[in-house]
Structure formats: C-alpha cells, structure tokens
Amino acid sequence: MSVQRGRHFLQIPGPTNVPDRVLRALSQPTIDHRGPEFARMTKEVLEGLQKLIKTSGKVVVYPSSGTGSWEAALVNTLSPGDKILGFETGHFATMWKNVAVKLGLQAEFLPGDWRQGADPAQIENKLKEDRQQAIKAVTIVHNETSTGVVSRIAEVRKAMDRAGHPALLMVDTVSSLGLTDYRQDEWGWM
C-alpha cells in the first residue's frame, strides 16, 4: 500500500489545482440565487467580463466544459451540413473538429505542425477560393493548451476581412482568456 503525503500536485496543463483560498470560499454558505446579493454579484461579474474581453456588448456566461462550449457555439449558429474551416494547432483544435463532425458539420481542417498558430495567409487563401461562400465559420483555438501555441487572432480576423468572406469567426479562449490579449469588439469574433 502506497502512502501519499500532502495534497497531490497535478503537473499537467489542466485541470489545475484549486488554490486553498478558493477551497475555503467554497465552504461558505450559498447565497440565494433569486436574492439581491446574487443579482449584485452577477451584475459585477458581467461588467468585469465586459472589461476583460473589451466589449461594449452584452456578455453571456455559459457554464460548461470547453467541449460543451464548442458544441453550444456550433449548434446555436450552424446547421447540419454546414461547412467549417479549422486549423490544426494541437489536440484541442483536433477535438473541436471532431465535435463538429459528430454534429453533422463538414469540417475542412488545414494541417499544421503543432509548433505554430493558425496561419492567417492560409485561411485567407481558403476563404478566397470559397467563391460559393460554403464555409460558414472559421474555428481557431487561441491558445492551444496541448502545445502552448498561440494563434494571432487579430491577424486571422484581418485575413478574413481581406478575403471579403462572411464566415463567422469562432475562437476557443479556454486557456487564454484573462492571460492573452482578447478584443471582442475590435476583432469581431465569437
């Protein structure tokens, strides 16, 4: 029988350890989700998120795992048979593509070497080639947790604009939000 001393220290990209102060906060009594304290807290959180993601628009919080948010984004904006364009930057970009396929979407996946982010020039070229505008969305993982690769979203947005393509830009910010520059209004991404 093995003996473990202290709390296990997890050494992978995620999930991360929960700090002790957060664990202590979880032991506090819950507040009434219909009461004024919850309403005040929610307003404060949403206003803070607006500042964090640099938007003047409304912020919606969707409680789920990262894969749950991929699914929600795809099924609430696209229909089975629609085509998406993704870029292979690592394990999570590949998983997002697989979720799309399971939802009945056609996924074109630009190959990558897992050492660099999405290539804006390749995306621009693919969108220019899509004269029928069959591609309905471009999916990019901002910070690919499995590889540490960061995609240049501002440049991807500019490439899409240069292509004059109406595809929706969907960006996974699971491991980048709050750590890497994020400009919702300026970059026009979902």
Side-chain angles (χ1 to χ4, degrees), residues 63-100:
S64 77
S65 64
T67 52
S69 63
W70 295 336
E71 183 176 344
L74 295 169
V75 301
N76 284 290
T77 58
L78 305 171
S79 299
D82 283 349
K83 186 174 183 178
I84 65 164
L85 177 65
F87 200 94
E88 180 188 16
T89 52
H91 180 69
F92 291 97
T94 303
M95 285 177 52
W96 197 0
K97 177 205 55 149
N98 293 341
V99 168

PDB file of all heavy atoms in Angstrom, residues 63-100:
ATOM      1  N   PRO A  63     -22.206  28.060 -18.542  1.00  0.00           N
ATOM      2  CA  PRO A  63     -21.465  27.152 -17.663  1.00  0.00           C
ATOM      3  C   PRO A  63     -21.334  25.756 -18.276  1.00  0.00           C
ATOM      4  O   PRO A  63     -22.314  25.046 -18.437  1.00  0.00           O
ATOM      5  CB  PRO A  63     -22.315  27.121 -16.384  1.00  0.00           C
ATOM      6  CG  PRO A  63     -23.707  27.437 -16.850  1.00  0.00           C
ATOM      7  CD  PRO A  63     -23.564  28.307 -18.070  1.00  0.00           C
ATOM      8  N   SER A  64     -20.125  25.426 -18.673  1.00  0.00           N
ATOM      9  CA  SER A  64     -19.866  24.102 -19.232  1.00  0.00           C
ATOM     10  C   SER A  64     -18.365  23.877 -19.292  1.00  0.00           C
ATOM     11  O   SER A  64     -17.573  24.765 -18.995  1.00  0.00           O
ATOM     12  CB  SER A  64     -20.453  23.987 -20.645  1.00  0.00           C
ATOM     13  OG  SER A  64     -19.647  24.637 -21.590  1.00  0.00           O
ATOM     14  N   SER A  65     -18.013  22.718 -19.757  1.00  0.00           N
ATOM     15  CA  SER A  65     -16.605  22.435 -20.056  1.00  0.00           C
ATOM     16  C   SER A  65     -16.273  23.119 -21.379  1.00  0.00           C
ATOM     17  O   SER A  65     -17.163  23.634 -22.073  1.00  0.00           O
ATOM     18  CB  SER A  65     -16.415  20.923 -20.203  1.00  0.00           C
ATOM     19  OG  SER A  65     -17.178  20.469 -21.325  1.00  0.00           O
ATOM     20  N   GLY A  66     -15.008  23.113 -21.754  1.00  0.00           N
ATOM     21  CA  GLY A  66     -14.613  23.669 -23.044  1.00  0.00           C
ATOM     22  C   GLY A  66     -15.317  22.969 -24.194  1.00  0.00           C
ATOM     23  O   GLY A  66     -15.795  23.616 -25.131  1.00  0.00           O
ATOM     24  N   THR A  67     -15.389  21.644 -24.133  1.00  0.00           N
ATOM     25  CA  THR A  67     -16.067  20.915 -25.210  1.00  0.00           C
ATOM     26  C   THR A  67     -17.554  21.252 -25.255  1.00  0.00           C
ATOM     27  O   THR A  67     -18.143  21.312 -26.332  1.00  0.00           O
ATOM     28  CB  THR A  67     -15.865  19.390 -25.087  1.00  0.00           C
ATOM     29  OG1 THR A  67     -16.224  18.977 -23.771  1.00  0.00           O
ATOM     30  CG2 THR A  67     -14.432  18.991 -25.379  1.00  0.00           C
ATOM     31  N   GLY A  68     -18.138  21.510 -24.099  1.00  0.00           N
ATOM     32  CA  GLY A  68     -19.541  21.926 -24.066  1.00  0.00           C
ATOM     33  C   GLY A  68     -19.750  23.269 -24.737  1.00  0.00           C
ATOM     34  O   GLY A  68     -20.755  23.499 -25.422  1.00  0.00           O
ATOM     35  N   SER A  69     -18.785  24.174 -24.574  1.00  0.00           N
ATOM     36  CA  SER A  69     -18.913  25.480 -25.221  1.00  0.00           C
ATOM     37  C   SER A  69     -18.713  25.369 -26.729  1.00  0.00           C
ATOM     38  O   SER A  69     -19.358  26.081 -27.498  1.00  0.00           O
ATOM     39  CB  SER A  69     -17.944  26.495 -24.607  1.00  0.00           C
ATOM     40  OG  SER A  69     -16.618  26.110 -24.811  1.00  0.00           O
ATOM     41  N   TRP A  70     -17.829  24.460 -27.176  1.00  0.00           N
ATOM     42  CA  TRP A  70     -17.695  24.233 -28.624  1.00  0.00           C
ATOM     43  C   TRP A  70     -19.031  23.784 -29.201  1.00  0.00           C
ATOM     44  O   TRP A  70     -19.491  24.304 -30.203  1.00  0.00           O
ATOM     45  CB  TRP A  70     -16.689  23.127 -28.926  1.00  0.00           C
ATOM     46  CG  TRP A  70     -15.269  23.356 -28.574  1.00  0.00           C
ATOM     47  CD1 TRP A  70     -14.615  24.562 -28.431  1.00  0.00           C
ATOM     48  CD2 TRP A  70     -14.307  22.353 -28.323  1.00  0.00           C
ATOM     49  NE1 TRP A  70     -13.316  24.345 -28.110  1.00  0.00           N
ATOM     50  CE2 TRP A  70     -13.083  22.997 -28.042  1.00  0.00           C
ATOM     51  CE3 TRP A  70     -14.335  20.968 -28.316  1.00  0.00           C
ATOM     52  CZ2 TRP A  70     -11.914  22.303 -27.757  1.00  0.00           C
ATOM     53  CZ3 TRP A  70     -13.181  20.276 -28.029  1.00  0.00           C
ATOM     54  CH2 TRP A  70     -11.980  20.940 -27.744  1.00  0.00           C
ATOM     55  N   GLU A  71     -19.615  22.787 -28.534  1.00  0.00           N
ATOM     56  CA  GLU A  71     -20.882  22.243 -29.022  1.00  0.00           C
ATOM     57  C   GLU A  71     -21.963  23.318 -29.042  1.00  0.00           C
ATOM     58  O   GLU A  71     -22.691  23.466 -30.025  1.00  0.00           O
ATOM     59  CB  GLU A  71     -21.324  21.063 -28.153  1.00  0.00           C
ATOM     60  CG  GLU A  71     -22.594  20.410 -28.641  1.00  0.00           C
ATOM     61  CD  GLU A  71     -22.982  19.183 -27.843  1.00  0.00           C
ATOM     62  OE1 GLU A  71     -22.146  18.630 -27.100  1.00  0.00           O
ATOM     63  OE2 GLU A  71     -24.148  18.782 -27.963  1.00  0.00           O
ATOM     64  N   ALA A  72     -22.066  24.098 -27.968  1.00  0.00           N
ATOM     65  CA  ALA A  72     -23.080  25.152 -27.903  1.00  0.00           C
ATOM     66  C   ALA A  72     -22.872  26.184 -29.004  1.00  0.00           C
ATOM     67  O   ALA A  72     -23.834  26.621 -29.653  1.00  0.00           O
ATOM     68  CB  ALA A  72     -23.049  25.824 -26.530  1.00  0.00           C
ATOM     69  N   ALA A  73     -21.623  26.591 -29.229  1.00  0.00           N
ATOM     70  CA  ALA A  73     -21.343  27.577 -30.276  1.00  0.00           C
ATOM     71  C   ALA A  73     -21.731  27.038 -31.648  1.00  0.00           C
ATOM     72  O   ALA A  73     -22.340  27.746 -32.452  1.00  0.00           O
ATOM     73  CB  ALA A  73     -19.860  27.958 -30.253  1.00  0.00           C
ATOM     74  N   LEU A  74     -21.401  25.791 -31.903  1.00  0.00           N
ATOM     75  CA  LEU A  74     -21.683  25.203 -33.217  1.00  0.00           C
ATOM     76  C   LEU A  74     -23.180  24.983 -33.442  1.00  0.00           C
ATOM     77  O   LEU A  74     -23.714  25.368 -34.483  1.00  0.00           O
ATOM     78  CB  LEU A  74     -20.916  23.887 -33.378  1.00  0.00           C
ATOM     79  CG  LEU A  74     -19.385  23.998 -33.408  1.00  0.00           C
ATOM     80  CD1 LEU A  74     -18.740  22.614 -33.300  1.00  0.00           C
ATOM     81  CD2 LEU A  74     -18.910  24.733 -34.637  1.00  0.00           C
ATOM     82  N   VAL A  75     -23.867  24.376 -32.482  1.00  0.00           N
ATOM     83  CA  VAL A  75     -25.281  24.042 -32.718  1.00  0.00           C
ATOM     84  C   VAL A  75     -26.188  25.264 -32.667  1.00  0.00           C
ATOM     85  O   VAL A  75     -27.289  25.231 -33.213  1.00  0.00           O
ATOM     86  CB  VAL A  75     -25.817  22.952 -31.751  1.00  0.00           C
ATOM     87  CG1 VAL A  75     -25.027  21.663 -31.881  1.00  0.00           C
ATOM     88  CG2 VAL A  75     -25.866  23.432 -30.321  1.00  0.00           C
ATOM     89  N   ASN A  76     -25.735  26.339 -32.037  1.00  0.00           N
ATOM     90  CA  ASN A  76     -26.575  27.535 -31.957  1.00  0.00           C
ATOM     91  C   ASN A  76     -26.335  28.527 -33.088  1.00  0.00           C
ATOM     92  O   ASN A  76     -27.014  29.551 -33.165  1.00  0.00           O
ATOM     93  CB  ASN A  76     -26.398  28.226 -30.601  1.00  0.00           C
ATOM     94  CG  ASN A  76     -27.136  27.479 -29.514  1.00  0.00           C
ATOM     95  OD1 ASN A  76     -28.352  27.470 -29.489  1.00  0.00           O
ATOM     96  ND2 ASN A  76     -26.393  26.812 -28.652  1.00  0.00           N
ATOM     97  N   THR A  77     -25.370  28.241 -33.958  1.00  0.00           N
ATOM     98  CA  THR A  77     -25.093  29.159 -35.073  1.00  0.00           C
ATOM     99  C   THR A  77     -25.079  28.463 -36.427  1.00  0.00           C
ATOM    100  O   THR A  77     -25.189  29.134 -37.453  1.00  0.00           O
ATOM    101  CB  THR A  77     -23.736  29.866 -34.891  1.00  0.00           C
ATOM    102  OG1 THR A  77     -22.704  28.887 -34.795  1.00  0.00           O
ATOM    103  CG2 THR A  77     -23.741  30.741 -33.642  1.00  0.00           C
ATOM    104  N   LEU A  78     -24.927  27.156 -36.443  1.00  0.00           N
ATOM    105  CA  LEU A  78     -24.803  26.417 -37.698  1.00  0.00           C
ATOM    106  C   LEU A  78     -25.842  25.308 -37.778  1.00  0.00           C
ATOM    107  O   LEU A  78     -26.469  24.968 -36.779  1.00  0.00           O
ATOM    108  CB  LEU A  78     -23.392  25.821 -37.815  1.00  0.00           C
ATOM    109  CG  LEU A  78     -22.239  26.822 -37.691  1.00  0.00           C
ATOM    110  CD1 LEU A  78     -20.908  26.093 -37.605  1.00  0.00           C
ATOM    111  CD2 LEU A  78     -22.240  27.794 -38.859  1.00  0.00           C
ATOM    112  N   SER A  79     -25.981  24.745 -38.958  1.00  0.00           N
ATOM    113  CA  SER A  79     -26.919  23.645 -39.188  1.00  0.00           C
ATOM    114  C   SER A  79     -26.157  22.446 -39.739  1.00  0.00           C
ATOM    115  O   SER A  79     -25.129  22.609 -40.407  1.00  0.00           O
ATOM    116  CB  SER A  79     -27.989  24.063 -40.202  1.00  0.00           C
ATOM    117  OG  SER A  79     -28.719  25.159 -39.726  1.00  0.00           O
ATOM    118  N   PRO A  80     -26.682  21.230 -39.494  1.00  0.00           N
ATOM    119  CA  PRO A  80     -26.025  20.051 -40.064  1.00  0.00           C
ATOM    120  C   PRO A  80     -25.833  20.239 -41.572  1.00  0.00           C
ATOM    121  O   PRO A  80     -26.700  20.759 -42.264  1.00  0.00           O
ATOM    122  CB  PRO A  80     -27.008  18.923 -39.762  1.00  0.00           C
ATOM    123  CG  PRO A  80     -27.713  19.387 -38.515  1.00  0.00           C
ATOM    124  CD  PRO A  80     -27.852  20.881 -38.693  1.00  0.00           C
ATOM    125  N   GLY A  81     -24.644  19.849 -42.033  1.00  0.00           N
ATOM    126  CA  GLY A  81     -24.310  20.013 -43.440  1.00  0.00           C
ATOM    127  C   GLY A  81     -23.506  21.268 -43.721  1.00  0.00           C
ATOM    128  O   GLY A  81     -22.851  21.374 -44.761  1.00  0.00           O
ATOM    129  N   ASP A  82     -23.559  22.253 -42.816  1.00  0.00           N
ATOM    130  CA  ASP A  82     -22.762  23.468 -42.997  1.00  0.00           C
ATOM    131  C   ASP A  82     -21.278  23.113 -42.936  1.00  0.00           C
ATOM    132  O   ASP A  82     -20.880  22.129 -42.301  1.00  0.00           O
ATOM    133  CB  ASP A  82     -23.067  24.514 -41.914  1.00  0.00           C
ATOM    134  CG  ASP A  82     -24.373  25.253 -42.159  1.00  0.00           C
ATOM    135  OD1 ASP A  82     -24.951  25.127 -43.255  1.00  0.00           O
ATOM    136  OD2 ASP A  82     -24.812  25.976 -41.244  1.00  0.00           O
ATOM    137  N   LYS A  83     -20.473  23.945 -43.556  1.00  0.00           N
ATOM    138  CA  LYS A  83     -19.031  23.702 -43.626  1.00  0.00           C
ATOM    139  C   LYS A  83     -18.291  24.674 -42.714  1.00  0.00           C
ATOM    140  O   LYS A  83     -18.619  25.855 -42.649  1.00  0.00           O
ATOM    141  CB  LYS A  83     -18.553  23.879 -45.065  1.00  0.00           C
ATOM    142  CG  LYS A  83     -17.108  23.514 -45.289  1.00  0.00           C
ATOM    143  CD  LYS A  83     -16.764  23.579 -46.774  1.00  0.00           C
ATOM    144  CE  LYS A  83     -15.333  23.153 -47.010  1.00  0.00           C
ATOM    145  NZ  LYS A  83     -15.012  23.174 -48.450  1.00  0.00           N
ATOM    146  N   ILE A  84     -17.291  24.138 -42.004  1.00  0.00           N
ATOM    147  CA  ILE A  84     -16.414  24.974 -41.185  1.00  0.00           C
ATOM    148  C   ILE A  84     -14.977  24.785 -41.655  1.00  0.00           C
ATOM    149  O   ILE A  84     -14.635  23.779 -42.275  1.00  0.00           O
ATOM    150  CB  ILE A  84     -16.521  24.658 -39.675  1.00  0.00           C
ATOM    151  CG1 ILE A  84     -16.014  23.248 -39.365  1.00  0.00           C
ATOM    152  CG2 ILE A  84     -17.929  24.872 -39.166  1.00  0.00           C
ATOM    153  CD1 ILE A  84     -15.731  23.004 -37.897  1.00  0.00           C
ATOM    154  N   LEU A  85     -14.153  25.778 -41.351  1.00  0.00           N
ATOM    155  CA  LEU A  85     -12.726  25.725 -41.650  1.00  0.00           C
ATOM    156  C   LEU A  85     -11.977  25.828 -40.328  1.00  0.00           C
ATOM    157  O   LEU A  85     -12.199  26.761 -39.560  1.00  0.00           O
ATOM    158  CB  LEU A  85     -12.341  26.884 -42.577  1.00  0.00           C
ATOM    159  CG  LEU A  85     -10.868  27.023 -42.936  1.00  0.00           C
ATOM    160  CD1 LEU A  85     -10.392  25.813 -43.759  1.00  0.00           C
ATOM    161  CD2 LEU A  85     -10.641  28.324 -43.708  1.00  0.00           C
ATOM    162  N   GLY A  86     -11.121  24.865 -40.058  1.00  0.00           N
ATOM    163  CA  GLY A  86     -10.322  24.879 -38.842  1.00  0.00           C
ATOM    164  C   GLY A  86      -8.850  24.777 -39.176  1.00  0.00           C
ATOM    165  O   GLY A  86      -8.478  24.522 -40.325  1.00  0.00           O
ATOM    166  N   PHE A  87      -8.015  24.980 -38.181  1.00  0.00           N
ATOM    167  CA  PHE A  87      -6.573  24.913 -38.373  1.00  0.00           C
ATOM    168  C   PHE A  87      -5.985  24.031 -37.287  1.00  0.00           C
ATOM    169  O   PHE A  87      -6.239  24.239 -36.095  1.00  0.00           O
ATOM    170  CB  PHE A  87      -5.954  26.309 -38.320  1.00  0.00           C
ATOM    171  CG  PHE A  87      -4.603  26.378 -38.956  1.00  0.00           C
ATOM    172  CD1 PHE A  87      -4.478  26.755 -40.283  1.00  0.00           C
ATOM    173  CD2 PHE A  87      -3.466  26.050 -38.244  1.00  0.00           C
ATOM    174  CE1 PHE A  87      -3.229  26.809 -40.891  1.00  0.00           C
ATOM    175  CE2 PHE A  87      -2.213  26.097 -38.837  1.00  0.00           C
ATOM    176  CZ  PHE A  87      -2.097  26.480 -40.172  1.00  0.00           C
ATOM    177  N   GLU A  88      -5.185  23.059 -37.688  1.00  0.00           N
ATOM    178  CA  GLU A  88      -4.595  22.098 -36.757  1.00  0.00           C
ATOM    179  C   GLU A  88      -3.432  22.729 -35.996  1.00  0.00           C
ATOM    180  O   GLU A  88      -2.354  22.919 -36.536  1.00  0.00           O
ATOM    181  CB  GLU A  88      -4.102  20.873 -37.530  1.00  0.00           C
ATOM    182  CG  GLU A  88      -3.484  19.820 -36.652  1.00  0.00           C
ATOM    183  CD  GLU A  88      -2.837  18.697 -37.451  1.00  0.00           C
ATOM    184  OE1 GLU A  88      -2.592  18.871 -38.654  1.00  0.00           O
ATOM    185  OE2 GLU A  88      -2.570  17.666 -36.838  1.00  0.00           O
ATOM    186  N   THR A  89      -3.691  23.064 -34.741  1.00  0.00           N
ATOM    187  CA  THR A  89      -2.644  23.632 -33.895  1.00  0.00           C
ATOM    188  C   THR A  89      -2.310  22.726 -32.717  1.00  0.00           C
ATOM    189  O   THR A  89      -1.411  23.029 -31.942  1.00  0.00           O
ATOM    190  CB  THR A  89      -3.067  25.017 -33.358  1.00  0.00           C
ATOM    191  OG1 THR A  89      -4.355  24.897 -32.738  1.00  0.00           O
ATOM    192  CG2 THR A  89      -3.128  26.044 -34.483  1.00  0.00           C
ATOM    193  N   GLY A  90      -3.050  21.622 -32.565  1.00  0.00           N
ATOM    194  CA  GLY A  90      -2.805  20.708 -31.466  1.00  0.00           C
ATOM    195  C   GLY A  90      -4.026  19.849 -31.171  1.00  0.00           C
ATOM    196  O   GLY A  90      -4.986  19.786 -31.941  1.00  0.00           O
ATOM    197  N   HIS A  91      -3.989  19.217 -30.027  1.00  0.00           N
ATOM    198  CA  HIS A  91      -5.012  18.255 -29.617  1.00  0.00           C
ATOM    199  C   HIS A  91      -6.409  18.879 -29.525  1.00  0.00           C
ATOM    200  O   HIS A  91      -7.386  18.281 -29.960  1.00  0.00           O
ATOM    201  CB  HIS A  91      -4.605  17.649 -28.267  1.00  0.00           C
ATOM    202  CG  HIS A  91      -5.563  16.653 -27.720  1.00  0.00           C
ATOM    203  ND1 HIS A  91      -5.744  15.413 -28.299  1.00  0.00           N
ATOM    204  CD2 HIS A  91      -6.404  16.708 -26.668  1.00  0.00           C
ATOM    205  CE1 HIS A  91      -6.668  14.753 -27.617  1.00  0.00           C
ATOM    206  NE2 HIS A  91      -7.073  15.515 -26.616  1.00  0.00           N
ATOM    207  N   PHE A  92      -6.522  20.075 -28.962  1.00  0.00           N
ATOM    208  CA  PHE A  92      -7.841  20.659 -28.746  1.00  0.00           C
ATOM    209  C   PHE A  92      -8.466  21.161 -30.044  1.00  0.00           C
ATOM    210  O   PHE A  92      -9.678  21.046 -30.235  1.00  0.00           O
ATOM    211  CB  PHE A  92      -7.789  21.726 -27.651  1.00  0.00           C
ATOM    212  CG  PHE A  92      -7.531  21.101 -26.302  1.00  0.00           C
ATOM    213  CD1 PHE A  92      -6.249  21.055 -25.783  1.00  0.00           C
ATOM    214  CD2 PHE A  92      -8.559  20.502 -25.597  1.00  0.00           C
ATOM    215  CE1 PHE A  92      -5.999  20.438 -24.569  1.00  0.00           C
ATOM    216  CE2 PHE A  92      -8.315  19.874 -24.383  1.00  0.00           C
ATOM    217  CZ  PHE A  92      -7.034  19.835 -23.866  1.00  0.00           C
ATOM    218  N   ALA A  93      -7.661  21.675 -30.946  1.00  0.00           N
ATOM    219  CA  ALA A  93      -8.185  22.058 -32.261  1.00  0.00           C
ATOM    220  C   ALA A  93      -8.732  20.825 -32.982  1.00  0.00           C
ATOM    221  O   ALA A  93      -9.801  20.876 -33.606  1.00  0.00           O
ATOM    222  CB  ALA A  93      -7.092  22.725 -33.096  1.00  0.00           C
ATOM    223  N   THR A  94      -8.019  19.707 -32.849  1.00  0.00           N
ATOM    224  CA  THR A  94      -8.457  18.455 -33.460  1.00  0.00           C
ATOM    225  C   THR A  94      -9.748  17.958 -32.805  1.00  0.00           C
ATOM    226  O   THR A  94     -10.673  17.510 -33.493  1.00  0.00           O
ATOM    227  CB  THR A  94      -7.344  17.391 -33.352  1.00  0.00           C
ATOM    228  OG1 THR A  94      -6.161  17.913 -33.967  1.00  0.00           O
ATOM    229  CG2 THR A  94      -7.745  16.099 -34.016  1.00  0.00           C
ATOM    230  N   MET A  95      -9.832  18.072 -31.485  1.00  0.00           N
ATOM    231  CA  MET A  95     -11.057  17.654 -30.797  1.00  0.00           C
ATOM    232  C   MET A  95     -12.256  18.508 -31.221  1.00  0.00           C
ATOM    233  O   MET A  95     -13.363  17.993 -31.386  1.00  0.00           O
ATOM    234  CB  MET A  95     -10.872  17.735 -29.276  1.00  0.00           C
ATOM    235  CG  MET A  95     -10.027  16.609 -28.711  1.00  0.00           C
ATOM    236  SD  MET A  95      -9.739  16.765 -26.920  1.00  0.00           S
ATOM    237  CE  MET A  95     -11.368  16.959 -26.257  1.00  0.00           C
ATOM    238  N   TRP A  96     -12.050  19.826 -31.392  1.00  0.00           N
ATOM    239  CA  TRP A  96     -13.137  20.712 -31.818  1.00  0.00           C
ATOM    240  C   TRP A  96     -13.645  20.299 -33.200  1.00  0.00           C
ATOM    241  O   TRP A  96     -14.840  20.236 -33.455  1.00  0.00           O
ATOM    242  CB  TRP A  96     -12.660  22.157 -31.813  1.00  0.00           C
ATOM    243  CG  TRP A  96     -13.750  23.193 -31.837  1.00  0.00           C
ATOM    244  CD1 TRP A  96     -15.113  22.980 -31.868  1.00  0.00           C
ATOM    245  CD2 TRP A  96     -13.583  24.601 -31.814  1.00  0.00           C
ATOM    246  NE1 TRP A  96     -15.780  24.174 -31.880  1.00  0.00           N
ATOM    247  CE2 TRP A  96     -14.863  25.186 -31.843  1.00  0.00           C
ATOM    248  CE3 TRP A  96     -12.474  25.431 -31.772  1.00  0.00           C
ATOM    249  CZ2 TRP A  96     -15.054  26.564 -31.831  1.00  0.00           C
ATOM    250  CZ3 TRP A  96     -12.667  26.798 -31.758  1.00  0.00           C
ATOM    251  CH2 TRP A  96     -13.939  27.362 -31.783  1.00  0.00           C
ATOM    252  N   LYS A  97     -12.715  19.978 -34.085  1.00  0.00           N
ATOM    253  CA  LYS A  97     -13.104  19.495 -35.410  1.00  0.00           C
ATOM    254  C   LYS A  97     -13.929  18.224 -35.274  1.00  0.00           C
ATOM    255  O   LYS A  97     -14.969  18.064 -35.929  1.00  0.00           O
ATOM    256  CB  LYS A  97     -11.873  19.227 -36.270  1.00  0.00           C
ATOM    257  CG  LYS A  97     -12.254  18.636 -37.642  1.00  0.00           C
ATOM    258  CD  LYS A  97     -11.164  17.813 -38.285  1.00  0.00           C
ATOM    259  CE  LYS A  97     -10.661  16.726 -37.427  1.00  0.00           C
ATOM    260  NZ  LYS A  97     -10.178  15.522 -38.034  1.00  0.00           N
ATOM    261  N   ASN A  98     -13.511  17.298 -34.418  1.00  0.00           N
ATOM    262  CA  ASN A  98     -14.237  16.039 -34.236  1.00  0.00           C
ATOM    263  C   ASN A  98     -15.642  16.265 -33.684  1.00  0.00           C
ATOM    264  O   ASN A  98     -16.587  15.574 -34.077  1.00  0.00           O
ATOM    265  CB  ASN A  98     -13.440  15.092 -33.339  1.00  0.00           C
ATOM    266  CG  ASN A  98     -12.149  14.631 -33.991  1.00  0.00           C
ATOM    267  OD1 ASN A  98     -11.983  14.705 -35.205  1.00  0.00           O
ATOM    268  ND2 ASN A  98     -11.207  14.171 -33.178  1.00  0.00           N
ATOM    269  N   VAL A  99     -15.790  17.223 -32.773  1.00  0.00           N
ATOM    270  CA  VAL A  99     -17.127  17.572 -32.262  1.00  0.00           C
ATOM    271  C   VAL A  99     -17.995  18.065 -33.412  1.00  0.00           C
ATOM    272  O   VAL A  99     -19.156  17.678 -33.546  1.00  0.00           O
ATOM    273  CB  VAL A  99     -17.039  18.624 -31.130  1.00  0.00           C
ATOM    274  CG1 VAL A  99     -18.400  19.210 -30.808  1.00  0.00           C
ATOM    275  CG2 VAL A  99     -16.415  18.015 -29.876  1.00  0.00           C
ATOM    276  N   ALA A 100     -17.434  18.913 -34.256  1.00  0.00           N
ATOM    277  CA  ALA A 100     -18.185  19.449 -35.400  1.00  0.00           C
ATOM    278  C   ALA A 100     -18.665  18.335 -36.315  1.00  0.00           C
ATOM    279  O   ALA A 100     -19.828  18.323 -36.749  1.00  0.00           O
ATOM    280  CB  ALA A 100     -17.314  20.449 -36.170  1.00  0.00           C
TER     281      ALA A 100
END
